[in-house]
Amino acid sequence: MSLNEFSIIERYFYSLGKRKGVSLGVGDDCAILDIPADKQLVTTVDTLVEARHFPLSCSPGDVAQRALRVNLSDIAAMGAVPHWFTLALTLQTPNEKWLHSFSEALESDALKFDCTLVGGDLTQGPLSITIQVFGTVDKNQAIKRTGLGLGDHIYVTGKLGAAAAAIACFEKSTQPMSLISNKVSEHLHNKFFRPEPRIKEGIILRNIASAAIDISDGLIADLNHILRSKSYGADIEFKLVPYEDFLIDIADKDLIQEWTLTGGDDYELCFTVPEKNIDLLERLIYEKKIHACYIGKVTENPGIRCYDDQGNLLNLGKSGYQHF
Amino acid sequence: MSLNEFSIIERYFYSLGKRKGVSLGVGDDCAILDIPADKQLVTTVDTLVEARHFPLSCSPGDVAQRALRVNLSDIAAMGAVPHWFTLALTLQTPNEKWLHSFSEALESDALKFDCTLVGGDLTQGPLSITIQVFGTVDKNQAIKRTGLGLGDHIYVTGKLGAAAAAIACFEKSTQPMSLISNKVSEHLHNKFFRPEPRIKEGIILRNIASAAIDISDGLIADLNHILRSKSYGADIEFKLVPYEDFLIDIADKDLIQEWTLTGGDDYELCFTVPEKNIDLLERLIYEKKIHACYIGKVTENPGIRCYDDQGNLLNLGKSGYQHF
């Protein structure tokens, strides 16, 4: 069967758009969405380009899920709830097998995160995927990057470093990589392509955090984005920064430090908490309502200083992912 | 000065995001937008890929304006009012001159159409521009593609055929093209890169049209999108279909017919009007409140038939733009 734009949309993408809260979805000039009167609309967009953001050999399902999840992570960083998304897909040649795997994986994640496809565009060209996610948040309750204060405590959710290790693994550029087991390799692959957007954590943090960001460019670079808005700095203790346990089996101290501090792509949240909310947050951590670690404090002195066990300053080298 | 993602956003795109109705725009994880309680959100996305949607030689300002306007045209087709947009820009190598022209032209159109940049993404790869526009419409007042009825009159705004003539001109595939004057060539160029989104017309048509679509794939193909939703057909009289006067100077009858009926890219509106609203519409046309022409009627018999002056059926050949 020959595939054209309309038959592709009908066969592979219509079923993703048949759900709640959509007045008009896939198939008209625009989508029409109802935003409840007590909510604000929150929206974000990210493009993944073949060879730049994912390896050429990578499976369509992996690409689809990563493309959706990196956007969901931005929604999470605002303390918002995702509801809908659009997909602008550029393909060199339409291929039934590719489209089937891509749309199936996308549908699976769309269901998992309760996020409905409401429109998009399909064009011919070098493979790239642009997803725009729409969510809502109670009025004036979103966590912004600019709310932090002097002396605020800095926290990170989950564990860092796995995504950077995965990239090293794809590139086979790191010697110890040859030693990793299939199980670790699969874990790395999953961490890179299926990062867990911290939506639940973002919602909890809405009344606790003064600022939040998702770690896409690396802990130091992203923390810097928050600090810059107020010309503040931060003191970080490396021993407090949480990283994946298995990294010590596959890399030396310097590499672990690099992956953890500047690696990026883990999509955990980095957030700041004012003194008055620390007890509440620590109780939620103790009760396992949220998995997060204290890593340092916001300072008046600009720049980020990271100290090792002996109190020596670490050399942070490159400070984060640069898109150019 | 070296250009990275953040310096590019700051230098070229911040000034586009400093306007009304935006709680939080460029520079956070997400944009936050306020949708008034009596409105619905309307949104659409379109990607332009180099060499596929615009010639390699084309100026950055032309690309920027076309990318925004084709999206505004979708908003117009719903009878909605555009307010905000996001830009996902993929560039091979950042170039100050290119970025300056691109952002300057985009800003000029953003001001003209009162549409504010609220976020985006900047990535490295083959040149492509994905714009998503957001608008609002009074609750349940949007014009959908599916509202048409049997016997409805079919209308088209403006004049068709110039964009298809422009493409033939770019491709230099058409013999008579060598005869066109610089003035006509410039006019064609403008019609292609700066189509006029029919926003004012869409708003007027909200209480008049039963269905509307913007003509991007060609009159026949787009009219067919409307008709398909009800399995209806249409009878069209070619002599009533409005096309640019200057086409007769540069092309023969068959070519004019092809450009007008199947050419696409003109971004005029094709809409249907029920009997009860005809008088009102015709009065608005007479008073020059809206520029539109009657071209035919919706029929029970599926398919589109186009007749010439003698009542003979025209052969419509290819029926519209196929993206693959």
Side-chain angles (χ1 to χ4, degrees):
Chain A
M1 189 203 122
S2 87
L3 290 173
N4 66 35
E5 185 190 13
F6 309 111
S7 69
I8 290 172
I9 293 170
E10 245 176 55
R11 284 182 69 186
Y12 298 108
F13 296 108
Y14 255 46
S15 65
L16 280 79
K18 296 281 167 220
R19 297 195 299 120
K20 52 119 214 202
V22 185
S23 277
L24 189 68
V26 181
D28 209 300
D29 292 293
C30 294
I32 305 180
L33 303 172
D34 291 301
I35 312 297
D38 58 338
K39 306 278 186 193
Q40 288 177 302
L41 176 73
V42 170
T43 187
T44 183
V45 61
D46 261 308
T47 299
L48 300 191
V49 178
E50 185 176 49
R52 181 78 189 166
H53 299 103
F54 55 88
L56 290 164
S57 59
C58 142
S59 90
D62 286 344
V63 182
Q65 296 191 331
R66 184 169 154 82
L68 181 60
R69 287 171 182 231
V70 299
N71 278 289
L72 291 172
S73 174
D74 281 319
I75 298 282
M78 308 295 288
V81 181
H83 298 301
W84 312 289
F85 70 104
T86 58
L87 166 70
L89 178 61
T90 302
L91 279 177
Q92 204 58 265
T93 323
N95 168 307
E96 293 196 37
K97 205 174 143 199
W98 194 97
L99 283 162
H100 179 76
S101 305
F102 182 89
S103 62
E104 197 175 59
L106 193 62
E107 181 158 21
S108 154
D109 261 9
L111 282 167
K112 179 180 161 85
F113 296 107
D114 201 14
C115 199
T116 304
L117 181 70
V118 293
D121 191 26
L122 191 59
T123 49
Q124 191 181 30
L127 181 60
S128 85
I129 299 104
T130 299
I131 284 184
Q132 176 123 14
V133 173
F134 306 83
T136 57
V137 66
D138 289 347
K139 274 202 168 148
N140 305 316
Q141 292 297 303
I143 311 168
K144 298 178 185 173
R145 287 189 184 176
T146 54
L148 78 169
L150 215 52
D152 281 4
H153 291 214
I154 303 167
Y155 285 79
V156 167
T157 62
K159 294 178 175 181
L160 304 178
I167 293 170
C169 184
F170 299 148
E171 292 172 351
K172 292 186 178 55
S173 62
T174 307
Q175 209 45 45
M177 279 298 151
S178 54
L179 304 172
I180 69 171
S181 66
N182 282 348
K183 200 182 140 199
V184 168
S185 165
E186 200 184 310
H187 180 67
L188 287 176
H189 184 96
N190 272 325
K191 289 294 265 183
F192 184 80
F193 286 108
R194 271 167 287 283
E196 198 61 41
R198 298 298 182 192
I199 299 165
K200 182 181 66 107
E201 290 77 0
I203 294 168
I204 291 174
L205 292 172
R206 226 147 50 182
N207 297 308
I208 295 173
S210 51
I213 192 168
D214 67 324
I215 303 176
S216 53
D217 295 343
L219 174 61
I220 300 300
D222 287 313
L223 176 56
N224 209 30
H225 288 147
I226 294 187
L227 297 167
R228 244 169 48 128
S229 68
K230 290 278 178 73
S231 305
Y232 290 156
D235 288 335
I236 301 292
E237 291 181 65
F238 182 67
K239 71 166 186 278
L240 301 177
V241 180
Y243 57 80
E244 295 275 356
D245 305 326
F246 71 83
L247 296 187
I248 49 174
D249 298 331
I250 61 167
D252 62 18
K253 217 185 70 185
D254 287 350
L255 205 50
I256 292 176
Q257 180 194 306
E258 186 189 317
W259 288 344
T260 306
L261 295 176
T262 64
D265 282 308
D266 286 312
Y267 296 95
E268 295 295 343
L269 300 183
C270 173
F271 59 98
T272 57
V273 181
E275 190 69 43
K276 67 181 169 74
N277 292 339
I278 300 294
D279 286 353
L280 173 56
L281 176 64
E282 288 292 342
R283 199 174 70 229
L284 291 169
I285 291 173
Y286 179 77
E287 291 170 353
K288 297 193 190 308
K289 300 258 168 67
I290 183 169
H291 181 69
C293 293
Y294 167 79
I295 61 165
K297 269 186 192 156
V298 176
T299 64
E300 204 168 355
N301 187 7
I304 299 174
R305 292 152 300 278
C306 189
Y307 299 94
D308 69 9
D309 288 5
Q310 282 75 45
N312 300 317
L313 255 183
L314 293 175
N315 176 4
L316 297 177
K318 63 170 181 148
S319 63
Y321 181 74
Q322 290 286 344
H323 295 246
F324 289 104
Chain B
M1 188 206 122
S2 87
L3 290 174
N4 65 35
E5 184 190 13
F6 308 112
S7 69
I8 290 172
I9 293 171
E10 245 175 57
R11 285 183 69 186
Y12 298 106
F13 296 108
Y14 255 46
S15 65
L16 280 79
K18 297 281 168 220
R19 296 196 297 120
K20 52 117 213 205
V22 185
S23 276
L24 189 68
V26 180
D28 210 300
D29 292 292
C30 295
I32 306 180
L33 304 172
D34 292 301
I35 313 297
D38 57 338
K39 307 278 185 192
Q40 289 177 303
L41 176 73
V42 171
T43 188
T44 183
V45 61
D46 261 307
T47 299
L48 299 192
V49 178
E50 185 176 49
R52 180 77 189 169
H53 299 104
F54 54 88
L56 291 162
S57 59
C58 141
S59 90
D62 285 344
V63 183
Q65 296 191 333
R66 183 168 155 85
L68 182 60
R69 288 171 182 230
V70 298
N71 277 288
L72 292 172
S73 174
D74 280 319
I75 298 283
M78 309 295 288
V81 181
H83 298 301
W84 312 290
F85 70 104
T86 59
L87 166 70
L89 178 60
T90 302
L91 279 177
Q92 203 60 265
T93 322
N95 169 306
E96 293 195 38
K97 205 174 143 199
W98 194 95
L99 281 163
H100 179 76
S101 306
F102 182 88
S103 62
E104 198 175 59
L106 193 60
E107 182 158 18
S108 154
D109 261 9
L111 283 166
K112 179 180 161 86
F113 296 107
D114 201 15
C115 199
T116 304
L117 181 69
V118 293
D121 191 26
L122 191 59
T123 50
Q124 192 183 30
L127 180 61
S128 84
I129 299 104
T130 299
I131 285 184
Q132 176 124 15
V133 173
F134 306 82
T136 57
V137 65
D138 289 347
K139 275 199 169 153
N140 306 317
Q141 293 298 303
I143 311 168
K144 300 178 185 173
R145 287 190 184 175
T146 54
L148 78 168
L150 214 53
D152 282 4
H153 291 214
I154 303 167
Y155 285 79
V156 167
T157 63
K159 292 179 177 181
L160 303 178
I167 293 170
C169 184
F170 300 148
E171 292 172 350
K172 293 184 176 57
S173 61
T174 308
Q175 210 45 43
M177 279 299 151
S178 56
L179 304 172
I180 70 172
S181 67
N182 282 349
K183 202 182 138 198
V184 168
S185 164
E186 200 184 310
H187 180 67
L188 287 177
H189 185 95
N190 273 325
K191 289 294 263 184
F192 184 80
F193 286 109
R194 272 167 286 282
E196 197 61 39
R198 298 298 182 190
I199 298 165
K200 184 183 63 107
E201 290 77 359
I203 295 167
I204 291 174
L205 292 173
R206 226 146 51 185
N207 299 306
I208 294 173
S210 51
I213 192 167
D214 67 323
I215 303 176
S216 54
D217 295 341
L219 173 62
I220 298 300
D222 287 312
L223 176 56
N224 209 30
H225 288 147
I226 294 187
L227 297 167
R228 243 169 48 127
S229 68
K230 291 276 178 75
S231 305
Y232 290 154
D235 288 335
I236 301 292
E237 291 180 66
F238 182 66
K239 71 166 185 277
L240 301 176
V241 180
Y243 58 80
E244 296 275 356
D245 304 326
F246 70 85
L247 296 186
I248 49 173
D249 297 331
I250 61 168
D252 62 18
K253 215 186 73 184
D254 286 350
L255 206 50
I256 292 177
Q257 180 193 307
E258 186 188 316
W259 288 344
T260 305
L261 295 176
T262 64
D265 283 306
D266 285 312
Y267 296 96
E268 296 295 344
L269 300 182
C270 172
F271 58 98
T272 56
V273 181
E275 190 69 44
K276 66 182 169 69
N277 292 339
I278 300 293
D279 285 352
L280 173 55
L281 176 66
E282 288 292 342
R283 198 175 69 231
L284 291 169
I285 291 172
Y286 179 76
E287 291 169 355
K288 297 195 191 306
K289 301 258 169 64
I290 183 169
H291 182 70
C293 293
Y294 168 80
I295 62 166
K297 270 188 190 156
V298 177
T299 63
E300 204 168 356
N301 187 6
I304 300 174
R305 292 152 299 279
C306 189
Y307 299 95
D308 69 10
D309 289 5
Q310 282 76 45
N312 300 317
L313 256 183
L314 292 175
N315 176 5
L316 297 176
K318 64 171 180 149
S319 64
Y321 181 74
Q322 289 286 344
H323 295 246
F324 290 102

